[in-house]
Amino acid sequence: MPKKKNQTPLRVNILFFSVFFLFSLLILRLGIVQIVHGEDFKREIERKEDVTVNNPVPRGKMFDRNLKVIVDNKPINAITYTNEGASQTDMLMVAENLAKLIHQKTDKIQERDKKDFWMIRNPEAAKKLITKKEMELFKDKKLKDKDLYKIQLDRITDKHLADLTEEDLEVLAIFRIMNSGYKFTPQVIKNEDVTRKEFAAVNENLDMLPGVNATTDWDRKYLYNDTFKPVLGRVTTTIEGLPADRIDYYMSRGYTRNDRVGKSYLELEYEDVLQGKKEKVINVTDKAGELLEKELVSGGQRGKDLILSLDIDLQIAVEKVIEKELWAAKSSPGTSLLDRAYVVLMDPHTGEILTMAGKKIVKDQETGENYLEDDALGNILNTFNVGSVVKGATVLTGYKAGAINSTTSFDDGALEIAGTPIKKSYNYLGVLNDIDALKKSSNVYMFHTAIRIGKGVYQYKKPLNLEPEVWDTIRNSFASFGLGIRTGIDLPNEQTGAKGVNYPIGKVLDLVIGQYDTYSNMQLAQYISTIANGGLRMQPRIVKEIREPASNSSDLGPVFMAYPPAVLNEVGMEKEWFNRVHTGFKKVMQEPGGTAYRFFGDAPYSPAGKTGTAEAFYDGPLRKKNEPLVQTMNLSLVGYAPSTNPEIAMAVMVPWAYQGSVDNRANLKIGRAVMDTYFNMKNTDSASATKEKEELPE
């Protein structure tokens, strides 16, 4: 029998060959990885990521024209949190520890926040809100994660949320802020009413509060309390962050969601310069997102400073005048609707606003007591029928249209037009030329002027036929002085006023005596400045210049931008016409028979101006819906001084000043006191400057 051959060596050889072949492939692959792709894998392992963070800086300051600080920044204690890659669990632990050290307000927590937090606190109970059938649908991919999440939210009841204690809510209030920001961007947990005890406690326990810091934040400081504060504007809080309606605008410019920005008026209008240059830091992280190092790219610089045209001392003094005269006027008969008054003082040659003051009487809803609040913005936000102060523009429009000239006179007798109530002046004033018509405030002279502008002829008890273009002729001329259009002031939300309808044609007679269209007090200031300076409509300005921040907080930096006087338009009228109006306005205040002579006749600064009284209908806060309109009287005053080469222009508006026949003359009382205040302060300042100069050593 032949011997059976052993197969084992063959199998072993095949096995060894296979192993050899596999190891050869492995060595070849490792060689390729090492030689061909080695550098790529090395770079991937060592890959770093740069995350750039812009840290906010304090805002710029605001100064008045005499370089007195009006708005500054005050340091405040703050507790912040910076997420440097922490998980939700880590952040929750930090929030729990921090809540033991500080008191956190919970008023910003929404119901959705509570539901989310309840699920984090009660994960097992949250799972039970999902049925087995719904879980099967989820496994079969017929429901998604977001569907299960919505089901859970819908099934969390008030009873579930009642399990959250006050301590839990404080933890939640902190946790939601931690969660709201970007990685490496500090979030302010608390910067209001941080006590010394809280600040010290956080500082002492930073080791168990990773990402938390006890630091210094800033808040706006108003050195003159509420004076001019509405015009200065507001800044959002860290909780408010970027306004929702402008979030895309700010985000595209490098802001983060919780940045504090200007919310209104000057703070908003000059946000770009007040915000300052943020500190730029690059956070270097590894592939896992762990922070490796921080690199300062550029240091921060606080915002630029605004130099305002405002004289804060004059502003305060004028506000006191308004307060005094407003309360005094309220003691007169027929003043139940009187609640406010406005004053603007402007340099007629530059447009700089020295004073923009307003006061309004409001009732405390709790005590029922009346008190005064600042309403400076009413000078640009509210418009009224202003009365005869516009007659200077009417006369100048008449000259330009060729309707009247220096020899034109009209009898002041009442006009009786078919289908129209009798149109007359407050008294019969005789035969008047243009100058005396301004001095005595003749309505009839203005009526005849308007009729001639409209190429009509007055006939006793006949209809009035005027060219329809008369409306545009008069309104366009008025607009060249600043009446009925935007003045161009560097503040948002300026109102232009309401225009009456162009029918019936006889209403144009009301237009030329200021009892049809409505105007703001700022428009009156621009109008009287245009007359005072001889025909240049100057742009009103609150901000004179912008300054770079100084390294020393007590100094001023160099000028970044200055705003020179801007002429918006020239009215294009002859100098002689202006001279006649100037003469008429001077007689109003300085000659017996002038409508303001009794109040300004003895003024040493040679004032000129025009008074105004308008029949109007009350539409203020006391008017109830669907209540009939109540007739009332608006009082106004425009003026400038000295009458030759004027240095100050003034507009006064007292809406709804009285009902009935007792004129409290609040416009004239305020106007005289304001002008006196301006020149007294100017003379005092000049005397002080002269004394200081005399006392300097030679």
Side-chain angles (χ1 to χ4, degrees):
M1 184 177 176
K3 188 176 180 181
K4 191 175 181 180
K5 189 175 181 179
N6 192 347
Q7 299 292 324
T8 302
L10 177 61
R11 292 173 181 169
V12 171
N13 287 336
I14 292 172
L15 177 62
F16 282 158
F17 179 77
S18 299
V19 171
F20 174 76
F21 180 73
L22 291 173
F23 268 104
S24 297
L25 288 176
L26 179 61
I27 292 169
L28 178 63
R29 180 61 181 163
L30 289 173
I32 292 172
V33 169
Q34 179 69 26
I35 297 170
V36 179
H37 299 296
E39 287 300 318
D40 293 338
F41 283 109
K42 183 179 179 182
R43 282 193 295 270
E44 179 64 21
I45 291 171
E46 295 177 351
R47 181 171 64 87
K48 297 178 181 179
E49 184 178 356
D50 294 344
V51 180
T52 302
V53 175
N54 296 317
N55 294 323
V57 293
R59 293 174 74 79
K61 302 177 184 180
M62 297 188 199
F63 298 79
D64 85 335
R65 67 187 299 109
N66 299 313
L67 305 183
K68 293 184 177 181
V69 180
I70 300 175
V71 184
D72 202 346
N73 302 302
K74 63 179 178 182
I76 55 175
N77 290 334
I79 309 300
T80 65
Y81 175 76
T82 305
N83 182 3
E84 297 181 347
S87 65
Q88 292 275 308
T89 303
D90 293 336
M91 280 196 286
L92 182 57
M93 186 178 297
V94 172
E96 290 172 343
N97 290 334
L98 185 56
K100 297 173 184 176
L101 303 175
I102 67 172
H103 169 67
Q104 185 73 3
K105 294 180 180 178
T106 60
D107 56 321
K108 300 296 182 182
I109 296 176
Q110 305 295 318
E111 184 179 17
R112 175 66 173 272
D113 298 324
K114 293 180 182 180
K115 289 184 175 182
D116 286 334
F117 193 66
W118 183 87
M119 286 194 285
I120 293 173
R121 283 288 205 213
N122 304 277
E124 294 303 319
K127 287 180 182 178
K128 292 179 181 179
L129 297 175
I130 306 297
T131 66
K132 291 182 179 180
K133 183 179 180 180
E134 289 163 344
M135 284 304 299
E136 290 297 324
L137 291 172
F138 175 71
K139 290 175 182 178
D140 293 340
K141 297 186 178 180
K142 293 181 180 179
L143 288 177
K144 298 179 180 179
D145 282 326
K146 65 179 182 179
D147 298 321
L148 294 184
Y149 173 63
K150 187 176 185 306
I151 290 170
Q152 287 174 305
L153 287 177
D154 292 341
R155 290 175 181 169
I156 296 173
T157 65
D158 291 341
K159 186 176 180 181
H160 291 117
L161 298 181
D163 294 339
L164 297 175
T165 65
E166 284 298 320
E167 290 76 14
D168 288 332
L169 293 179
E170 286 200 51
V171 173
L172 169 57
I174 295 171
F175 181 68
R176 67 189 291 272
I177 297 175
M178 291 179 169
N179 253 327
S180 65
Y182 297 106
K183 193 175 181 180
F184 301 120
T185 302
Q187 306 297 308
V188 176
I189 304 297
K190 183 176 182 180
N191 64 354
E192 294 181 7
D193 304 320
V194 177
T195 66
R196 290 184 180 181
K197 183 178 179 181
E198 289 176 328
F199 194 77
V202 172
N203 248 328
E204 292 167 3
N205 292 278
L206 291 177
D207 55 334
M208 69 172 192
L209 301 168
V212 174
N213 192 17
T215 184
T216 300
D217 196 9
W218 58 269
D219 197 7
R220 280 314 224 181
K221 180 181 180 182
Y222 300 91
L223 281 81
Y224 293 88
N225 301 317
D226 292 336
T227 300
F228 208 58
K229 194 173 180 180
V231 182
L232 299 173
R234 290 182 55 208
V235 177
T236 61
T237 65
T238 51
I239 294 175
E240 290 175 311
L242 302 180
D245 60 339
R246 304 194 75 196
I247 193 164
D248 292 337
Y249 170 84
Y250 286 122
M251 295 287 283
S252 67
R253 284 159 176 76
Y255 288 74
T256 57
R257 289 181 182 273
N258 67 331
D259 275 345
R260 303 177 65 185
V261 297
K263 191 174 183 179
S264 60
Y265 296 97
L266 288 179
E267 293 279 14
L268 171 61
E269 192 75 5
Y270 290 91
E271 166 64 25
D272 291 346
V273 293
L274 288 170
Q275 181 68 17
K277 180 183 176 183
K278 294 184 176 183
E279 177 187 75
K280 184 175 287 189
V281 176
I282 291 181
N283 294 277
V284 183
T285 64
D286 60 17
K287 182 181 177 182
E290 295 294 326
L291 181 65
L292 299 177
E293 60 178 318
K294 290 188 176 186
E295 179 183 342
L296 178 65
V297 177
S298 60
Q301 185 182 58
R302 74 168 176 84
K304 296 178 176 60
D305 299 328
L306 302 184
I307 310 298
L308 308 186
S309 62
L310 187 81
D311 183 326
I312 192 63
D313 293 329
L314 181 61
Q315 175 78 17
I316 292 170
V318 170
E319 288 184 2
K320 289 180 179 178
V321 168
I322 296 174
E323 291 176 6
K324 177 184 175 183
E325 297 301 337
L326 196 52
W327 286 126
K330 285 292 287 182
S331 64
S332 300
T335 56
S336 60
L337 301 177
L338 170 62
D339 70 344
R340 64 193 68 191
Y342 303 107
V343 173
V344 171
L345 291 177
M346 178 190 291
D347 185 325
H349 301 289
T350 66
E352 292 176 3
I353 303 296
L354 279 69
T355 294
M356 178 176 158
K359 290 293 179 179
K360 181 168 61 176
I361 299 172
V362 294
K363 180 176 288 188
D364 189 304
Q365 295 302 315
E366 294 183 3
T367 65
E369 296 292 325
N370 288 333
Y371 66 95
L372 283 170
E373 72 175 17
D374 192 291
D375 192 28
L377 288 171
N379 284 287
I380 63 170
L381 299 183
N382 300 328
T383 63
F384 308 96
N385 296 120
V386 298
S388 298
V389 289
V390 305
K391 288 176 179 176
T394 299
V395 169
L396 287 164
T397 303
Y399 293 149
K400 188 173 183 178
I404 59 173
N405 56 44
S406 60
T407 64
T408 304
S409 296
F410 294 113
D411 187 282
D412 197 57
L415 304 187
E416 295 190 46
I417 301 168
T420 302
I422 293 176
K423 312 293 288 184
K424 61 181 181 178
S425 300
Y426 58 93
N427 285 318
Y428 175 66
L429 303 174
V431 177
L432 303 169
N433 65 4
D434 51 345
I435 292 175
D436 285 335
L438 291 173
K439 170 188 171 181
K440 297 181 179 181
S441 198
S442 167
N443 288 342
V444 174
Y445 191 97
M446 307 304 150
F447 297 154
H448 282 298
T449 300
I451 292 170
R452 287 194 175 187
I453 293 172
K455 295 182 170 52
V457 177
Y458 166 68
Q459 293 178 292
Y460 179 69
K461 289 190 176 182
K462 298 288 185 180
L464 189 61
N465 295 311
L466 304 178
E467 292 183 349
E469 292 78 13
V470 66
W471 292 102
D472 289 339
T473 299
I474 294 171
R475 282 182 173 141
N476 290 341
S477 179
F478 277 27
S480 70
F481 291 92
L483 296 173
I485 60 171
R486 297 192 188 282
T487 64
I489 192 171
D490 51 334
L491 290 172
N493 305 323
E494 181 186 9
Q495 300 301 302
T496 58
K499 288 181 171 60
V501 296
N502 296 3
Y503 182 86
I505 197 71
K507 289 290 185 181
V508 78
L509 304 187
D510 295 327
L511 175 65
V512 295
I513 62 169
Q515 300 202 146
Y516 199 53
D517 291 356
T518 66
Y519 311 111
S520 71
N521 200 45
M522 186 59 67
Q523 289 175 344
L524 293 185
Q526 188 177 56
Y527 150 71
I528 192 61
S529 291
T530 305
I531 289 180
N533 67 35
L536 301 179
R537 184 168 77 96
M538 306 302 299
Q539 179 185 7
R541 289 213 67 90
I542 298 291
V543 175
K544 289 180 60 177
E545 58 187 32
I546 300 170
R547 297 256 187 163
E548 295 282 3
S551 55
N552 188 329
S553 61
S554 62
D555 295 334
L556 274 175
V559 175
F560 170 76
M561 181 180 292
Y563 295 98
V567 178
L568 299 180
N569 64 265
E570 296 185 40
V571 295
M573 297 182 181
E574 294 181 13
K575 184 178 180 181
E576 177 58 28
W577 299 343
F578 277 105
N579 288 341
R580 293 189 68 80
V581 172
H582 290 162
T583 300
F585 277 13
K586 183 176 180 180
K587 287 174 176 285
V588 167
M589 291 187 166
Q590 296 188 47
E591 189 171 281
T595 55
Y597 174 74
R598 187 161 69 87
F599 288 86
F600 286 90
D602 62 347
Y605 37 79
S606 184
K610 185 72 190 74
T611 58
T613 304
E615 295 179 0
F617 290 101
Y618 179 75
D619 60 351
L622 297 180
R623 185 192 171 198
K624 296 178 181 178
K625 191 175 181 181
N626 300 323
E627 185 179 62
L629 291 171
V630 178
Q631 188 169 348
T632 184
M633 306 298 286
N634 295 341
L635 296 177
S636 60
L637 177 69
V638 295
Y640 52 87
S643 55
T644 54
N645 193 25
E647 62 182 70
I648 193 69
M650 174 185 69
V652 179
M653 187 70 219
V654 187
W656 318 314
Y658 65 94
Q659 298 164 264
S661 58
V662 181
D663 185 347
N664 53 53
R665 306 297 179 94
N667 56 334
L668 291 161
K669 293 174 183 177
I670 291 173
R672 174 62 194 261
V674 166
M675 277 288 195
D676 285 353
T677 298
Y678 170 81
F679 283 100
N680 287 340
M681 292 181 69
K682 176 196 170 188
N683 293 336
T684 300
D685 292 341
S686 299
S688 298
T690 302
K691 185 177 179 181
E692 289 177 6
K693 185 176 181 180
E694 291 174 349
E695 291 176 350
L696 289 174
E698 296 183 2

